[in-house]
Amino acid sequence: MRITRLLTILGLAAVLYVLAARAASDISASPEWLVAVLSLGFSLTPLAILGARPSPRVSALALMGFSLAIATASARTGSGALDVTHDVAWLVIALVMLGLALPRSTSAFVRYGAVAGYALAATTASILSNAGLLPVHAFGVVVVVGLLAVAALHQIVLVGRGHTVEGALSGIAVVSLAVGLAYAWFGPFTGRLATAVEAAVALLLWLGHLAWVDPRWRSLRRIGVPIVAACAVCFVAAFALLPSAPLHRWELGVLAIGAGALWWTTFALARRLSRRAIWTTSGRLADACLAARHRLLGGTTVEDITSGALIPLAIAAECASSSPELYSLEPPLRMRLDSGERPNIRSGEAPPVLLDALYDCGLRGVIDLPTLRPRVVREPAVRELVDAMERRAVGAALPCVHLDHLEGVLLIPIGERTEPLSAAEHDELGRLGRSLGGALAAALAQRRAESHVHELAELRREAESEITALRGEVQQLRGQCDVLGRGLAEDDTLHVAYSPSMRRVQTRAIELAPTEDPVLLIAGAGSPVLPVSRFIHDRGPRWDAPFVVADCSAAAPDEVMGLLFGSSEGPPGWFHSATGGTLLLRDLPALPLEAQARLAAALRDAANMKEDEQPASCPPRIIVTSRIDLGELCRRDALDPDLITHFTRGRLVIPPLQERREDVPSLVLLAIDRACRVFARDPVGIDQQAMMALVDHDWPGDVAELELVVELAVGRVVGKAIGMSELPPLAWPAADGQESLSGTYVDVERRMLVRALQRAGNNKSEAARRLGLKRTTFLDKLRRHGLDDRAPDDVGGTAVG
């Protein structure tokens, strides 16, 4: 930038000095206003580009603007010094153009060699022409030929990088140089016309090279084209209005037609040459994007999109090691070309690193590998992205966006490209990305719909299979619960009802069975609550539904709620398992008050259930048991008040076994039969004395105690009948309604001796053993109480347990 800053001051001063020298010479043949305006405008170039990013190209453009200002200010004068200045300025312009036109990848040896060779050729031509060995215009011919060659190379590079407008202006500059400079320097153009033509050529060169400073500068199309058109109009008007023009009108027409044909020929040649340029693929890439957009029109299938978009890009890349690829996101597809340009579409996902980078930039631009490489040192986070693109030989990643939604990603191979994408390339790629996004959205809509339908069908089949499996499991669980309940209640204890109290229980159970009211069974420990509950269930409307038995005291209070009603993460609770059937809750007072309140709410909802609801979906009927009467529970505040109201109509008291001794013999025989089957032995009987002992026993453990005593006796019996010796020890309640410890010590001792003899079957040794006495001591006590000579039947009292 030192040269640029220096030229901002010295350039304007030098131009003013040349203009002053021009005013002192013979300048009658030149348009002074045009020369002054253009030369001063060119001299302000270094000042105008001070804000640009420092680079060698910016400095070269500043030098070129200064040289154009000197060349314009010294044109068409009668001074020899100014003519030499004019020629040297144009030589510097040609050298700067040559340096700018050479690609960046050109080695320093080739670059400086070309510049030095061209300068040496022009200097040699000048020396030989002054010596008379070459024509007078030899130096000018070399400069013009050099400008033609440099301008042609410049046009090739511009068009090759996608700057179509700038390339067109470069082509116009070539025609202007070929016709204008030749006629202005060597031909019939003289005077003001020659000066005007040379100034127009300088202006075109300046506008064309100004694109090097900022490729996104769009004023070339807004200013350059009107200026060229204005120059053409001035050119035509000059020949039309000046009758002394050296060319005839028909010659002017031929010249105009020839200039147009020459321009189109040069431009077409430049485009062809740019396609074969080894240092860039820009022109081919821009053309390929345009061709791809045209080929996408009318494409309705994924195959059409693959062929339409990738074939032009593959031809432009001319890279045998890699080819362009197109990825869609939903469904994830990978689209590429096989041999013979046949579409190859398979399932595949886009590289996650590229997707993350595209989302990070907001889907607004193209990811360019040459642009990312210089950032690796300053931004280590870019290293992963650069490595991923280099591994896949990807030069650019283009987001295919439709309505702000990313539809896919287009990967373009790097090939031999080393320079970043130009502004024109970015524009063409952006248009292609939007076209591809819309085409993919339309083509994949059917696939997405079919995919979603297929997924929904799969989900439906899975759901149906799961529902079927769950229904089977529910049915199996219901059957298991039913079998389990039947197995627990399969006995005939309830049918043993010889006592009036037990017949009242049967009658009340038959009354409660057809109703839906909850039932409260008040029974002591060991009472037949299971047979009674099963009796009520089997004779009710839910006889074929599950019968679930749950013990409220079997779990900790903080776990009962989950067991009763279930939880979101665990299995269903007792309440839901018995849906449509009957739930027996043993020991209701063991439920926490919170669980009782929820049970009361569930019973209230069941009472309000609509009559048209299916039984399989209705809440279960509740049967609860308690060992304590409701009144006592209310006094203790052990039951929820709302829950008590649901059992006012369905209350049933099961009498203890000691209040229905008429049923004991039948219950004993049933228990002996069951125990014999359990021990896998032949049936046994029981003698009268043992039966009377069991009848007279108070049975505080109710039927459960009786069954246990009988089972122990069956296990010990050796003969065909159970005797007193096989019965296990029983409690000793009072006989004849008296308390066991009432009376004097002598009375109590006598009763104990009598009962021991009864329990031992009048076997004195066994009776002494059961009392923990020596045989001699036991016999002595019998003599003192007058019991030693009594017959067995004379022994008073009964054995009860």
Side-chain angles (χ1 to χ4, degrees):
M1 294 298 291
R2 293 181 180 179
I3 298 177
T4 305
R5 293 177 181 177
L6 184 63
L7 291 178
T8 56
I9 301 175
L10 298 181
L12 182 59
V15 170
L16 292 174
Y17 177 79
V18 172
L19 288 176
R22 178 186 182 88
S25 62
D26 183 10
I27 56 174
S28 58
S30 299
E32 297 306 311
W33 63 270
L34 179 61
V35 171
V37 170
L38 286 180
S39 59
L40 291 175
F42 289 146
S43 66
L44 297 177
T45 301
L47 183 62
I49 62 176
L50 275 178
R53 185 177 179 180
S55 67
R57 295 182 181 274
V58 173
S59 301
L61 182 60
L63 180 60
M64 182 179 181
F66 168 72
S67 301
L68 286 172
I70 296 297
T72 304
S74 60
R76 314 299 297 178
T77 63
S79 171
L82 291 179
D83 290 340
V84 174
T85 303
H86 174 267
D87 295 340
V88 172
W90 273 108
L91 177 60
V92 173
I93 293 170
L95 294 175
V96 172
M97 289 176 60
L98 178 60
L100 291 174
L102 290 174
R104 295 182 181 179
S105 58
T106 306
S107 63
F109 176 77
V110 175
R111 180 182 299 276
Y112 293 123
V115 173
Y118 181 65
L120 180 62
T123 304
T124 303
S126 177
I127 295 173
L128 294 178
S129 63
N130 290 332
L133 299 177
L134 290 177
V136 177
H137 302 294
F139 176 80
V141 171
V142 173
V143 173
V144 170
V145 172
L147 289 177
L148 289 172
V150 171
L153 180 61
H154 190 193
Q155 181 186 10
I156 293 172
V157 174
L158 284 176
V159 175
R161 289 175 179 168
H163 298 282
T164 306
V165 176
E166 292 85 345
L169 293 177
S170 180
I172 295 175
V174 172
V175 175
S176 300
L177 287 172
V179 178
L181 287 182
Y183 273 86
W185 288 358
F186 321 123
F189 288 174
T190 58
R192 297 177 181 271
L193 180 59
T195 304
V197 170
E198 185 175 348
V201 170
L203 181 61
L204 290 174
L205 289 176
W206 180 76
L207 290 173
H209 285 81
L210 196 60
W212 290 101
V213 177
D214 185 7
R216 296 183 180 273
W217 191 62
R218 301 301 179 188
S219 60
L220 291 175
R221 288 178 290 184
R222 298 194 302 267
I223 300 175
V225 174
I227 289 179
V228 172
C231 292
V233 171
C234 294
F235 180 79
V236 174
F239 279 92
L241 299 176
L242 296 177
S244 60
L247 294 180
H248 297 287
R249 296 179 184 273
W250 64 270
E251 292 176 336
L252 179 61
V254 172
L255 179 62
I257 295 175
L262 181 61
W263 177 81
W264 280 114
T265 302
T266 305
F267 188 69
L269 178 62
R271 289 176 63 88
R272 289 181 176 273
L273 292 177
S274 66
R275 292 177 181 174
R276 300 183 180 276
I278 61 173
W279 61 82
T280 180
T281 60
S282 302
R284 287 174 285 169
L285 180 59
D287 293 341
C289 293
L290 181 61
R293 285 197 293 117
H294 288 302
R295 290 171 64 100
L296 287 176
L297 297 177
T300 57
T301 64
V302 179
E303 290 76 9
D304 295 341
I305 295 174
T306 304
S307 302
L310 299 187
I311 289 178
L313 295 175
I315 295 174
E318 294 182 354
C319 181
S321 60
S322 61
S323 60
E325 295 178 343
L326 179 61
Y327 288 89
S328 65
L329 300 188
E330 185 184 356
L333 299 176
R334 177 187 180 187
M335 293 160 270
R336 59 183 306 172
L337 296 175
D338 285 340
S339 58
E341 297 181 349
R342 291 175 299 182
N344 183 348
I345 303 174
R346 295 183 180 180
S347 178
E349 296 184 354
V353 178
L354 291 177
L355 290 179
D356 294 342
L358 289 174
Y359 282 118
D360 290 341
C361 67
L363 307 176
R364 291 190 298 269
V366 182
I367 299 178
D368 186 24
L369 179 59
T371 305
L372 293 175
R373 281 171 176 164
R375 296 168 50 189
V376 172
V377 179
R378 302 189 307 270
E379 304 176 32
V382 184
R383 166 64 65 182
E384 183 180 2
L385 177 59
V386 172
D387 292 342
M389 297 181 71
E390 288 180 344
R391 283 194 304 268
R392 304 176 68 96
V394 174
L398 173 65
C400 304
V401 182
H402 178 66
L403 299 178
D404 296 331
H405 178 70
L406 184 63
E407 299 288 344
V409 180
L410 176 62
L411 304 184
I412 302 173
I414 185 66
E416 301 295 333
R417 182 169 64 91
T418 58
E419 296 185 353
L421 296 172
S422 65
E425 292 166 338
H426 278 279
D427 292 342
E428 289 295 335
L429 286 173
R431 297 188 186 99
L432 177 60
R434 290 188 291 273
S435 299
L436 268 176
L440 285 174
L444 295 177
Q446 183 66 24
R447 283 190 177 229
R448 290 172 182 168
E450 294 175 356
S451 176
H452 291 167
V453 170
H454 179 71
E455 292 177 359
L456 291 176
E458 288 291 335
L459 292 176
R460 180 179 179 180
R461 283 193 290 269
E462 293 177 0
E464 290 177 349
S465 301
E466 187 174 355
I467 291 173
T468 303
L470 291 176
R471 285 177 177 173
E473 292 180 5
V474 170
Q475 194 66 24
Q476 183 180 4
L477 290 174
R478 289 181 183 275
Q480 291 175 356
C481 292
D482 185 60
V483 171
L484 210 58
R486 291 183 183 275
L488 290 172
E490 274 185 358
D491 55 45
D492 296 327
T493 55
L494 186 61
H495 299 288
V496 179
Y498 298 104
S499 62
S501 60
M502 203 61 190
R503 286 196 293 270
R504 288 193 296 270
V505 170
Q506 280 187 339
T507 303
R508 180 60 175 163
I510 293 174
E511 294 174 355
L512 293 174
T515 67
E516 294 289 338
D517 296 332
V519 178
L520 170 62
L521 301 179
I522 300 177
S527 297
V529 291
L530 285 177
V532 173
S533 302
R534 188 73 204 197
F535 183 89
I536 296 173
H537 171 77
D538 288 342
R539 283 158 180 76
R542 306 180 183 221
W543 62 270
D544 59 343
F547 178 78
V548 179
V549 180
D551 191 348
C552 298
S553 63
D558 57 343
E559 298 177 358
V560 173
M561 181 71 79
L563 293 174
L564 180 58
F565 295 101
S567 60
S568 58
E569 299 178 355
W574 302 329
F575 195 87
H576 296 286
S577 299
T579 299
T582 302
L583 173 61
L584 172 61
L585 295 176
R586 302 185 61 173
D587 296 324
L588 177 66
L591 277 181
L593 291 178
E594 181 183 0
Q596 292 182 21
R598 186 168 177 183
L599 180 61
L603 292 175
R604 184 170 56 254
D605 295 339
N608 298 329
M609 186 186 67
K610 297 180 180 178
E611 296 182 357
D612 57 350
E613 289 192 27
Q614 297 295 327
S617 61
C618 66
R621 183 182 187 182
I622 303 298
I623 300 177
V624 300
T625 69
S626 175
R627 304 182 189 185
I628 306 174
D629 189 67
L630 279 179
E632 182 63 24
L633 292 175
C634 292
R635 284 192 295 271
R636 298 180 184 179
D637 293 331
L639 284 183
D640 183 79
D642 295 335
L643 184 60
I644 295 176
T645 59
H646 293 282
F647 298 105
T648 55
R649 293 183 299 178
R651 185 167 173 267
L652 177 60
V653 179
I654 301 177
L657 190 57
Q658 64 181 356
E659 296 180 4
R660 50 189 184 100
R661 297 182 185 274
E662 299 92 335
D663 300 332
V664 172
S666 297
L667 294 175
V668 169
L669 294 178
L670 288 174
I672 291 174
D673 179 68
R674 184 183 299 112
C676 290
R677 287 186 279 113
V678 169
F679 289 108
R681 60 174 300 167
D682 296 334
V684 298
I686 184 170
D687 60 23
Q688 184 64 24
Q689 188 176 7
M691 178 64 77
M692 291 306 298
L694 295 178
V695 171
D696 292 337
H697 184 48
D698 288 342
W699 301 113
D702 215 271
V703 176
E705 182 186 359
L706 184 145
E707 292 176 347
L708 178 60
V709 168
V710 172
E711 184 176 338
L712 292 174
V714 171
R716 296 171 59 181
V717 69
V718 178
K720 296 293 185 179
I722 300 173
M724 291 295 295
S725 60
E726 282 80 25
L727 292 178
L730 300 175
W732 303 100
D736 300 329
Q738 297 179 356
E739 296 293 335
S740 59
L741 297 179
S742 63
T744 64
Y745 174 77
V746 175
D747 295 334
V748 172
E749 186 178 37
R750 177 182 173 83
R751 288 197 298 270
M752 292 182 64
L753 293 173
V754 170
R755 288 165 186 164
L757 286 172
Q758 290 176 344
R759 294 295 304 245
N762 209 32
N763 187 326
K764 297 178 181 179
S765 298
E766 177 66 18
R769 185 187 64 79
R770 294 195 178 197
L771 292 176
L773 300 175
K774 294 181 179 180
R775 190 175 186 277
T776 56
T777 304
F778 182 73
L779 294 175
D780 181 64
K781 289 181 180 293
L782 290 178
R783 283 193 300 270
R784 284 191 287 111
H785 288 285
L787 301 175
D788 53 339
D789 295 331
R790 296 283 185 98
D793 294 337
D794 295 337
V795 178
T798 57
V800 294

